[in-house]
Amino acid sequence: MKRMILLATALAMFVSAASAFAVIDWAGNVWPNHGTNVVPTGPVDLYAQVYKDTVTNPGGQGPDIEAFCLVLSDNGYNQDLAMGYNGDVGNNDEYTVQVPQAALVGATYVDVHVRFHDLTDDTWYDGVNDQAGNPPAQRYNVVDVLPNDIDVTFTLCLDGTVYTGLPCVIGSAAEIGTWGTGVNMAPEGSHADLYTVTVTFLAGGNPSFEYKYKKDDCVTWEGVSNRLVTLPTDGTTAVTLNVDTWDNSPLGCGLGNTLLEDFVLCIQVCLQGVDNTG
């Protein structure tokens, strides 16, 4: 009997070790995030990442992993789409798929649910969150396109920030580089550290976009989260956004309540009659 118990224990340990070796460690970073506004004029590119130790961390596509995206919308579209390998992101493998235009036309929303399949042990990783940590299914709102061109003015204050070259604005919309090449800004004139640029967002585009800034001749990224803008669709032709600051620091450039010079502040407290140990 003792031999059988030892054998069973050893077998259980072997099965457990084999399963642990095969299990996907993590999957996530679905993009776009839950709540994103999309337009029905074309497909939407969707991305997700997966990590499995010793499988995805070497360069190239890790073997025996496949990805799918279930797409459901309120226009009746219901398809489970295979995702394709898109390259490495650090130790992760990234997969992508297009949410087709057929899922968007006539819909008010579309839900997506990414899953990764490990072929080595036929296990699934279903809880694939987006980049903001939102769990599946992620929902995208289908909205109307811009009815006309809109001139959008971006202004950035770099007061108190060390920088060595002109900043630029960059973001998800094609007009500001689709996260590729940003649009350079120019000095605004009223303050040495204030920069501005006006970008025309074209009719027919998505009224919602995200953006941030890069400095040092458009090289160094901000560390803060993306800023979200939804432009009006009521015929407005020009929008001036609030002045931004690098990494959302306190507003200077003579526009905010920031100190113009150093001050020495003395704080005193009297502990007479109060028990204290330090």
Side-chain angles (χ1 to χ4, degrees):
M1 180 63 70
K2 186 174 181 180
R3 285 186 179 177
M4 292 181 62
I5 293 175
L6 290 174
L7 180 60
T9 302
L11 182 59
M13 291 176 63
F14 174 81
V15 171
S16 176
S19 298
F21 178 80
V23 169
I24 290 173
D25 294 279
W26 170 89
N29 283 352
V30 173
W31 180 264
N33 285 336
H34 171 78
T36 295
N37 291 340
V38 299
V39 292
T41 53
V44 175
D45 293 328
L46 182 143
Y47 304 88
Q49 296 173 19
V50 61
Y51 170 75
K52 181 180 176 182
D53 190 31
T54 73
V55 175
T56 63
N57 30 356
Q61 183 178 11
D64 299 320
I65 292 178
E66 57 184 3
F68 297 88
C69 181
L70 179 62
V71 179
L72 303 170
S73 67
D74 61 348
N75 71 358
Y77 188 92
N78 183 343
Q79 293 290 329
D80 200 14
L81 306 176
M83 302 180 68
Y85 173 69
N86 193 54
D88 293 337
V89 180
N91 289 326
N92 304 335
D93 282 0
E94 183 172 76
Y95 285 74
T96 187
V97 72
Q98 285 192 325
V99 178
Q101 187 177 8
L104 307 173
V105 174
T108 61
Y109 69 85
V110 58
D111 290 340
V112 298
H113 185 176
V114 174
R115 294 116 54 241
F116 284 92
H117 185 207
D118 192 330
L119 296 171
T120 61
D121 62 354
D122 195 28
T123 56
W124 290 82
Y125 195 110
D126 290 322
V128 185
N129 296 347
D130 66 19
Q131 291 188 9
N134 297 303
Q138 287 85 24
R139 173 165 292 188
Y140 306 144
N141 307 305
V142 184
V143 299
D144 293 332
V145 300
L146 288 174
N148 53 269
D149 293 355
I150 299 182
D151 293 332
V152 180
T153 299
F154 301 84
T155 308
L156 173 66
C157 173
L158 289 175
D159 195 3
T161 300
V162 177
Y163 60 101
T164 59
L166 293 176
C168 69
V169 61
I170 187 169
S172 60
E175 290 84 352
I176 50 176
T178 322
W179 299 119
T181 302
V183 178
N184 289 331
M185 307 179 77
E188 188 270 347
S190 65
H191 191 282
D193 296 313
L194 197 61
Y195 296 85
T196 188
V197 67
T198 298
V199 179
T200 300
F201 285 72
L202 301 179
N206 192 331
S208 297
F209 65 92
E210 297 182 20
Y211 74 98
K212 60 197 321 178
Y213 297 98
K214 298 169 73 175
K215 63 176 183 174
D216 306 330
D217 288 329
C218 200
V219 172
T220 306
W221 287 85
E222 281 188 292
V224 295
S225 300
N226 301 339
R227 300 172 179 87
L228 174 65
V229 173
T230 299
L231 298 174
T233 55
D234 59 1
T236 298
T237 59
V239 170
T240 299
L241 302 178
N242 292 333
V243 178
D244 295 310
T245 60
W246 184 261
D247 279 339
N248 295 334
S249 59
L251 178 60
C253 296
L255 302 173
N257 296 321
T258 58
L259 295 177
L260 300 180
E261 57 183 303
D262 295 343
F263 287 85
V264 176
L265 180 65
C266 179
I267 300 175
Q268 296 177 310
V269 58
C270 176
L271 293 178
Q272 184 177 1
V274 178
D275 293 335
N276 66 92
T277 59

